[in-house]
Amino acid sequence: MSQAPSNSTLWGHPKGLYVLFTSEMWERFSYYGMRALLVLTLVAATEEANPGFGMSQGDALSLYGTYTALVYFTPLIGGWLADNFLGQRLSILLGGILMAAGQFVLFAATPHSLDLFYVGLGLLIAGNGMFKPNISTIVGDLYPQGDARRDSAFSIFYMGINLGAFIAPLITSTLGESPEYGWRWGYFAAGIGMTLAVITQGLFFQRFLGDIGKVPGAKRDRLASGGVKKPLTKIEFDRLRVILFLFVFVTVFWLAFEQAGGLMNIFADQYTDRTFGDSIIPAGYFQSLNPLFILIFAPIFSVLWVTLHKRDSSPDAPIKIFAGLVLTAIGFLFLIFGLYEIQATGKANMIWLVLAYLFHTLGELCISPVGLSLMTKLAPLRLASLVMGIWFLMPAIASKLAGMVGAFSENAETFTFSQNIAAAIGLQAEYSGLLVVFGGVAVGLLVFAIVLWLISGMLVRWMHGAERTEPTTTAEGIEQELEAVAEHEGIGDKAKK
């Protein structure tokens, strides 16, 4: 017997959205809590009061890079499995269980067995691949295409991601970096967070989501077409072309945005005056600015998109992404202003870094939740989770490129062209490396933004009204599709619950 999702709403959205929000929040708590400890655990000496595995910094960073790349790559596989065999709901459940197990394996392995530690990382990678693309797909399935609330919903959902990211290090690092407890207890806390995500699914998913996400998209698509395995239509093909075009622009954004964990972190540590009263603010605290700003501004953006839609003046997704690229570029310009202060006084005021993170966050809110929403609008039903996996491939590529770009700053100041650029705007050669990277990223973002603006009309045409037309296979049609599945398989009546 099929079950429709609950029709009850909260603050204008289906209650199922807030169930997904909660599950995602705890999953992100688990991920970011573990990520805050990983490299520190690997490099901590075995003879310290809080012993780790004694790896060299290079080996630890290499392992971290491999782990991160696989975390972002495996959603492609998890999305394909969900679309063709498992369905999103089972994939999310299996992914949550694998990740909880992975965290507890890390707890057991640290600091005794590096081999067992690798097993824990493998479980986390596999579980993330099953969980990440599919929960985002279900968020999209709650709303019909053309529903103004969808972009708003992804802004709210995005708050769950950042709420987990904000609070996780405060708990896991407090435990993990304390000799009184040790690294392993940080992983244990992360495991508890993932367990809460699984419990949330068990208690509330069926009640508030009904049967959304239970049947693989490919199977639903075959039933909707009378059992005929159809090739892509022209509209579906055009929409996939939009995804491929946007892949380039969004990857450029993430390349710039991921400087936060690298070169911008060094800027905070070595070039920023972090004095506050009689104390020094740790450089790592600036990493919390982005999720904090997300929590502040995501509700504002959520209301903004709905308000503009009601006035029939909401910009199309490519224009929102264009705005995000421009805002992110402005953020890097603030860091260049900071270079002049460094040259004059030896350190930059914290305000330049705060403003950079603020504008990067505003840019992120125009791109990331909007992009998540857009993937669910453009993807053919039978490829929905696979397309979401492609979305998570973008930061995988960008993270690797971001590291290469950030590292260039160390050598760029030795090049004549870098020194000439710095001299032309009144900066000394010793700051030319930072200038070339921050300025180059800003210029690159603006160039790609202009190109996106120029082709936005073409992309909107290829979308064939995906943002504004009514759906054929979204939440409003889910119940009918599930009833068709039940009838096809002879598994019960079609009465509504």
Side-chain angles (χ1 to χ4, degrees), residues 73-83 86 91 129-130 133-134 385-386:
F73 175 77
T74 50
L76 276 174
I77 301 172
W80 180 80
L81 288 172
D83 283 335
L86 302 176
S91 296
M130 300 294 289
N134 295 303
S385 291
L386 179 62

Side-chain angles (χ1 to χ4, degrees), residues 43-113:
V43 301
T46 56
E47 66 274 9
E48 289 182 356
N50 187 9
F53 291 105
M55 272 191 182
S56 69
Q57 180 174 310
D59 288 343
L61 291 174
S62 177
L63 176 58
Y64 173 78
T66 301
Y67 168 76
T68 305
L70 289 173
V71 159
Y72 285 120
F73 175 77
T74 50
L76 276 174
I77 301 172
W80 180 80
L81 288 172
D83 283 335
N84 291 279
F85 302 105
L86 302 176
Q88 286 91 14
R89 290 275 286 279
L90 180 57
S91 296
I92 293 171
L93 179 62
L94 292 175
I97 292 171
L98 285 172
M99 284 190 284
Q103 298 287 14
F104 291 126
V105 168
L106 296 183
F107 164 74
T110 307
H112 313 294
S113 172

Side-chain angles (χ1 to χ4, degrees), residues 230-249:
K230 299 184 300 182
L232 290 173
T233 66
K234 182 183 185 304
I235 290 178
E236 289 174 330
F237 182 76
D238 282 349
R239 288 175 173 174
L240 288 175
R241 284 201 290 178
V242 174
I243 292 172
L244 292 177
F245 268 83
L246 292 181
F247 187 100
V248 175
F249 296 98

Side-chain angles (χ1 to χ4, degrees), residues 152-444:
S152 170
F154 273 98
S155 293
I156 294 171
F157 181 70
Y158 211 63
M159 288 178 63
I161 294 173
N162 286 276
L163 181 58
F166 177 73
I167 63 177
L170 303 179
I171 296 175
T172 62
S173 292
T174 298
L175 293 171
E177 295 186 37
S178 167
E180 182 181 355
Y181 295 99
W183 305 112
R184 62 201 311 257
W185 288 102
Y187 297 120
F188 185 84
I192 293 297
M194 195 64 244
T195 301
L196 291 173
V198 174
I199 291 173
T200 300
Q201 296 176 48
L203 292 179
F204 301 110
F205 268 30
Q206 188 62 37
R207 177 181 175 186
F208 292 104
L209 298 177
D211 290 337
I212 291 178
K214 282 191 170 182
V215 179
K219 186 172 184 178
R220 287 164 49 198
D221 187 72
R222 287 195 302 270
L223 290 169
S225 62
V228 179
K229 190 171 184 181
K230 299 184 300 182
L232 290 173
T233 66
K234 182 183 185 304
I235 290 178
E236 289 174 330
F237 182 76
D238 282 349
R239 288 175 173 174
L240 288 175
R241 284 201 290 178
V242 174
I243 292 172
L244 292 177
F245 268 83
L246 292 181
F247 187 100
V248 175
F249 296 98
V250 176
T251 299
V252 169
F253 162 75
W254 285 119
L255 182 156
F257 186 84
E258 288 299 326
Q259 296 301 321
L263 192 57
M264 288 177 66
N265 215 12
I266 293 174
F267 187 89
D269 182 47
Q270 299 181 11
Y271 297 96
T272 301
D273 180 6
R274 293 178 280 112
T275 304
F276 187 77
D278 296 329
S279 60
I280 302 294
I281 298 175
Y285 277 25
F286 289 93
Q287 297 294 306
S288 293
L289 286 174
N290 171 247
L292 177 62
F293 287 143
I294 289 284
L295 295 173
I296 294 172
F297 289 101
I300 298 174
F301 275 75
S302 176
V303 173
L304 174 65
W305 301 142
V306 173
T307 303
L308 290 176
H309 185 87
K310 288 179 178 178
R311 296 177 180 176
D312 199 27
S313 57
S314 178
D316 293 300
I319 300 302
K320 292 176 182 176
I321 295 173
F322 157 82
L325 293 173
V326 173
L327 288 167
T328 308
I330 293 172
F332 281 100
L333 295 180
F334 286 120
L335 295 177
I336 294 175
F337 294 150
L339 295 179
Y340 288 99
E341 191 168 17
I342 295 171
Q343 182 170 273
T345 66
K347 293 284 186 177
N349 192 290
M350 289 184 287
I351 189 62
W352 301 117
L353 202 54
V354 172
L355 287 171
Y357 276 113
L358 171 61
F359 275 79
H360 289 182
T361 301
L362 297 177
E364 181 185 5
L365 284 169
C366 289
I367 293 178
S368 193
V370 169
L372 282 171
S373 175
L374 186 63
M375 294 303 103
T376 69
K377 299 170 184 176
L378 297 178
L381 174 62
R382 58 195 177 279
L383 300 176
S385 291
L386 179 62
V387 167
M388 193 59 70
I390 292 174
W391 173 261
F392 291 109
L393 185 61
M394 299 180 198
I397 296 172
S399 294
K400 180 63 177 177
L401 294 175
M404 296 169 63
V405 170
F408 180 70
S409 66
E410 190 173 8
N411 300 319
E413 62 189 46
T414 64
F415 298 134
T416 302
F417 84 91
S418 301
Q419 297 172 5
N420 290 340
I421 293 173
I425 63 171
L427 283 174
Q428 298 171 3
E430 62 184 294
Y431 306 115
S432 60
L434 291 171
L435 171 66
V436 167
V437 173
F438 291 149
V441 170
V443 170

